[in-house]
Amino acid sequence: METWSTNHQKELTARLLVRVKSLAAAIAGKLGRRPVIMEVCGTHTVALARTGLRSLLAGCIDLRSGPGCPVCVTAPEEIDYMLCLARQPGVIIATFGDMVRVPGSSGSLEKARIEGCQIQVCYSPREAVTLARSNPDREVVFLGIGFETTAPAVGLAVKEAAALSLKNFSIYSAHKLVPPALATLAADPDLKLDGLLLPGHVSAILGRRAFTFLAREYNLPAAIAGFDALDILGALLELLLQIQKGEAQVNNAYPRVVSETGNHKAQEILREVFSLAPANWRGLGLIPLSGLKLNTAYEAFDASHRWRLELKPAPPPAGCLCGSVLKGLCLPPQCALFGRRCTPLRPVGPCMVSSEGSCAAYYRYAREAG
Amino acid sequence: MTDCGSITGTVSLAHGDGGELTHRLISDLFLRYFRDEALQPLNDAALLPAQCGLLALTTDSFVVKPLFFPGGNIGTLAVNGTVNDLAVSGARPLYLTVGLILEEGLPLPVLEEVIAALAAAASEAGVAIVAGDTKVVERGHGDQIYINTTGLGLVAGNIDLGCHRVRPGDVIICSGAVGDHGLAVLAARENFGLEGLKSDCAALHTLILPLLENFPGAVKWLRDPTRGGLATTIKELALSAQVDIILSEEAIPVHDSVRGGAEILGLDYLYLANEGKFCAVVDRVAAEDVLAFLRRHPLSCEAALVGEIKEGSGRAFLRTALGATRELYLLSGQQLPRIC
């Protein structure tokens, strides 16, 4: 058994930490405020809290969480649609576990299960195909939540269902694409971001080049980061060096996983099964071409075609600041509900539910912070 | 079902109605494996010799899924879980009862495998199974097998364990690597394809009783960190003893397979369940000797001093490898693997 890291890694991390802190302090002196950096990805939010990096950097960098949790950015009306689907006779909802407890206007899928609806937690979309095959007299609907990382696996499941000519399988596609959301954030005059810590997982699919528009069009420095302390500090250092020089580039600080043009096979599946569609993001609103709908060839597997349910726009729960948290406008502890009316056991908003959610990460690791 | 061949067929509702099939299940299966004298008369209650000292009584129910996982199964878990609850109370485990709730349609060979594992674990732990009960529920109303075990043990008069003895300056010793059971079961249930994972399911009294005998007074508090893992156990101790506790991330033993698997799934290994580990609060003066003693036993060869007790008001902290300090809380809701 080894310790948390080899001595070499530990030494390197300590040295990087010192450099990051001193560079951030120098930039803060120049700007008259701490540099504002958004960690787009929920896994980064968790890693920053778990390793203690967030508290170590608290005085030097203003780290904001972003829209990088797929459950959290699912719009209230999409959750209501899922609840409505769950209550249709003969329907089995297959879903990732995180979605089960997210509250909508009329409860959650967990509540629907207690009422007698059939909700099956899956860990891969293909499990839902198996579920459909073993329940030929029921309609199995898989809830397609996630970014570019998850959507290819859902696409594969759809292809498999098509190859099997399954008549009782469909997906509800609430997938979201990260680059259009980042463009929205970059263009937001209220945010004044100095840099973006880009998600390693999504970048592995899309490749570094997919993010160069951030530097080119918005003059916003960005760096792709992996998920351990060394990775994150390395990416932060690259970002800070850019900020100090007044440059804007998209650095790949996770080259062992992320290539220039990404995972072509996954991209091919996305292109074959889905096409771009407008999507409504919690907190960010409607963003053109930021969602995925099934292509015409696979329309038979689109749950929103099979069940044309009329749903009213759903306002967010009263007092819930998930939208502002996702936009980086506030930190979870600044929400009046945080840790009081809203906890992982009784979540008001989705950011308190998902393991990737900013509020859940703060609640788990730094309840009194902020 | 025959008297000596392998058992075939499935569990039916009639196996639980108290009639002929129930009788055959008991005689052809259970009594083949459960051979303790006190059970053989099949009376309504087992008659046991009275013992001197304090009796320790505990009960636990086991609903694990899948029934079989790397390193154990629901039968071994049902024995070791209850034996460990007795052991960390300072008790020598003596007797177990076994209550089975079976789902109609369960293949009898699966039941036999579980019963055989249960009997073997009890035999290995040196505890007698002295009473039992079986019920069958309709298909769809259970999940194959649920097991309840109740354990009775005896605490020697000189043993005093409890949070009332915990003082600032004491240290926390963990008997081995954490998170093995929780991740092994999750990976087996969801077929995550993670390699190198194995539950630590084991009976700990053969380790704990000699420890208490060799270090009378120096071991002050014991707990097996099952659900909620090490972090929840330590936070509970801090709250009940009204002290602060600081754990050192670098000192906590964890296998690389668990660390890596938990990272991939977005889980915190400090909150993953253990079934063959204990945490002890030990007088600092005796700590090195206790560690040396533990490391000689195969169940605790990776034992480590993981933290210390401070004056305080019930807070628990982790000093991370980077030198930051973060607070530990009770597990709040189930840990869910992440989507992306």
Side-chain angles (χ1 to χ4, degrees):
Chain A
M1 193 179 338
E2 292 185 3
T3 53
W4 179 84
S5 59
T6 64
N7 285 339
H8 179 66
Q9 272 179 315
K10 199 181 166 194
E11 205 179 298
L12 197 56
T13 308
R15 285 215 307 265
L16 261 177
L17 183 59
V18 171
R19 279 196 73 189
V20 164
K21 284 171 91 165
S22 74
L23 193 51
I27 292 169
K30 208 158 84 177
L31 295 176
R33 58 167 174 79
R34 290 175 296 161
V36 181
I37 292 175
M38 174 179 278
E39 84 269 8
V40 173
C41 175
T43 311
H44 281 147
T45 304
V46 173
L48 284 164
R50 187 170 46 77
T51 57
L53 264 182
R54 185 182 295 282
S55 63
L56 289 171
L57 296 172
C60 328
I61 301 177
D62 185 351
L63 281 165
R64 310 266 181 93
S65 303
C69 159
V71 171
C72 307
V73 294
T74 305
E77 50 268 35
E78 288 175 319
I79 293 163
D80 284 352
Y81 190 94
M82 295 171 198
L83 283 167
C84 208
L85 271 179
R87 290 176 175 132
Q88 300 300 309
V91 164
I92 301 175
I93 294 287
T95 176
F96 294 127
D98 285 30
M99 274 315 296
V100 172
R101 300 186 57 238
V102 177
S105 301
S106 59
S108 61
L109 290 171
E110 187 175 50
K111 191 175 166 224
R113 182 160 62 191
I114 293 167
E115 288 166 8
C117 299
Q118 288 239 17
I119 315 290
Q120 183 75 41
V121 171
C122 295
Y123 289 86
S124 89
R126 293 180 74 180
E127 278 178 52
V129 177
T130 309
L131 190 67
R133 293 182 75 184
S134 52
N135 290 274
D137 53 337
R138 310 292 295 269
E139 282 280 349
V140 172
V141 184
F142 181 76
L143 303 181
I145 309 296
F147 299 126
E148 289 88 340
T149 41
T150 324
V154 179
L156 272 181
V158 171
K159 284 181 69 170
E160 188 180 344
L164 293 165
S165 303
L166 283 184
K167 302 288 180 217
N168 66 329
F169 176 80
S170 58
I171 66 156
Y172 174 63
S173 177
H175 294 104
K176 310 253 185 303
L177 303 175
V178 170
L182 296 185
T184 303
L185 291 171
D188 191 323
D190 293 336
L191 264 174
K192 296 187 181 67
L193 294 175
D194 294 307
L196 283 175
L197 207 57
L198 295 174
H201 297 144
V202 171
S203 305
I205 304 294
L206 295 180
R208 185 199 72 91
R209 212 175 281 166
F211 295 95
T212 51
F213 72 95
L214 289 165
R216 202 175 51 242
E217 294 173 29
Y218 299 96
N219 201 34
L220 186 60
I224 297 165
F227 298 95
D228 67 24
L230 200 56
D231 284 328
I232 294 173
L233 281 170
L236 281 174
L237 183 65
E238 295 207 16
L239 260 184
L240 292 171
L241 285 169
Q242 287 190 56
I243 296 168
Q244 193 193 34
K245 290 181 199 160
E247 292 174 352
Q249 293 166 13
V250 175
N251 295 130
N252 183 2
Y254 196 27
R256 66 182 189 273
V257 173
V258 176
S259 69
E260 191 66 5
T261 52
N263 181 329
H264 293 202
K265 200 173 167 193
Q267 292 169 14
E268 201 178 302
I269 294 167
L270 288 181
R271 274 194 298 272
E272 184 191 337
V273 179
F274 298 102
S275 53
L276 299 178
N280 203 3
W281 294 59
R282 187 183 293 264
L284 276 63
L286 192 71
I287 305 177
L289 307 181
S290 69
L292 293 174
K293 65 171 186 178
L294 284 168
N295 272 332
T296 320
Y298 294 100
E299 238 169 36
F301 299 97
D302 189 339
S304 60
H305 276 250
R306 287 194 198 187
W307 288 274
R308 292 187 182 275
L309 308 171
E310 287 296 320
L311 286 171
K312 292 176 190 161
C320 172
L321 293 189
C322 278
S324 299
V325 169
L326 291 165
K327 224 173 159 184
L329 289 172
C330 75
L331 294 176
Q334 291 168 322
C335 175
L337 306 185
F338 177 83
R340 298 178 182 90
R341 266 185 57 212
C342 184
T343 66
L345 291 176
R346 282 188 310 165
V348 175
C351 296
M352 190 55 96
V353 178
S354 168
S355 55
E356 302 282 277
S358 304
C359 297
Y362 272 78
Y363 189 85
R364 203 184 315 152
Y365 295 115
R367 222 165 274 183
E368 280 80 29
Chain B
M1 199 186 303
T2 61
D3 282 339
C4 49
S6 61
I7 289 175
T8 57
T10 57
V11 168
S12 70
L13 288 174
H15 280 113
D17 68 5
E20 190 186 337
L21 272 187
T22 309
H23 178 78
R24 282 172 57 183
L25 191 67
I26 292 169
S27 57
D28 294 357
L29 177 57
F30 298 154
L31 292 184
R32 267 173 59 199
Y33 291 98
F34 301 158
R35 294 170 175 271
D36 296 293
E37 250 176 57
L39 181 70
Q40 297 302 321
L42 296 177
N43 288 334
D44 283 346
L47 301 179
L48 308 169
Q51 309 267 358
C52 296
L54 281 176
L55 288 177
L57 182 66
T58 186
T59 191
D60 207 345
S61 298
F62 299 85
V63 295
V64 65
K65 186 178 175 180
L67 298 180
F68 300 90
F69 46 82
N73 58 63
I74 192 170
T76 56
L77 205 57
V79 171
N80 294 337
T82 294
V83 162
N84 290 346
D85 285 346
L86 292 171
V88 294
S89 307
R92 179 177 300 283
L94 298 173
Y95 303 112
L96 281 184
T97 71
V98 177
L100 297 168
I101 295 175
L102 311 176
E103 186 188 14
E104 181 187 20
L106 171 75
L108 281 165
V110 173
L111 177 62
E112 179 172 13
E113 204 174 335
V114 170
I115 294 299
L118 213 151
S123 167
E124 201 174 318
V127 290
I129 293 172
V130 294
D133 177 54
T134 306
K135 295 286 186 291
V136 180
V137 295
E138 287 174 31
R139 187 189 275 270
H141 289 246
D143 204 350
Q144 296 195 288
I145 305 177
Y146 301 145
I147 303 179
N148 171 272
T149 48
T150 294
L152 189 67
L154 195 64
V155 185
N158 60 341
I159 290 176
D160 180 18
L161 296 169
C163 61
H164 63 279
R165 295 195 52 220
V166 173
R167 296 279 178 275
D170 291 341
V171 296
I172 310 264
I173 285 176
C174 187
S175 70
V178 298
D180 290 342
H181 176 76
L183 200 61
V185 169
L186 182 65
R189 180 165 68 223
E190 310 304 347
N191 201 14
F192 283 138
L194 299 173
E195 288 178 2
L197 298 173
K198 189 177 169 200
S199 167
D200 58 346
C201 184
L204 294 171
H205 61 299
T206 57
L207 169 64
I208 289 174
L209 295 176
L211 173 72
L212 295 175
E213 207 170 294
N214 278 274
F215 298 93
V219 178
K220 300 179 166 189
W221 174 94
L222 283 172
R223 180 72 64 81
D224 54 337
T226 53
R227 284 179 303 173
L230 177 67
T232 301
T233 300
I234 291 303
K235 175 66 179 174
E236 283 172 349
L237 170 63
L239 285 171
S240 53
Q242 279 301 292
V243 292
D244 281 359
I245 298 175
I246 299 177
L247 296 183
S248 161
E249 184 177 32
E250 286 187 290
I252 297 168
V254 52
H255 293 136
D256 286 344
S257 54
V258 172
R259 189 196 310 281
E263 198 170 308
I264 287 167
L265 299 173
L267 306 173
D268 189 338
Y269 60 78
L270 290 178
Y271 287 89
L272 290 171
N274 308 279
E275 287 294 345
K277 300 290 163 8
F278 67 79
C279 299
V281 173
V282 176
D283 192 314
R284 184 185 290 271
V285 175
E288 281 308 314
D289 291 338
V290 167
L291 273 178
F293 177 86
L294 289 174
R295 285 173 182 160
R296 285 198 293 271
H297 195 288
L299 287 176
S300 53
C301 55
E302 294 170 331
L305 196 160
V306 297
E308 53 190 350
I309 310 281
K310 301 273 189 193
E311 295 266 7
S313 56
R315 299 177 79 179
F317 300 93
L318 181 79
R319 192 172 294 125
T320 74
L322 289 177
T325 301
R326 70 168 164 92
E327 190 156 0
L328 299 172
Y329 305 97
L330 301 175
L331 176 64
S332 189
Q334 194 186 356
Q335 285 203 91
L336 295 167
R338 65 158 169 255
I339 291 179
C340 71

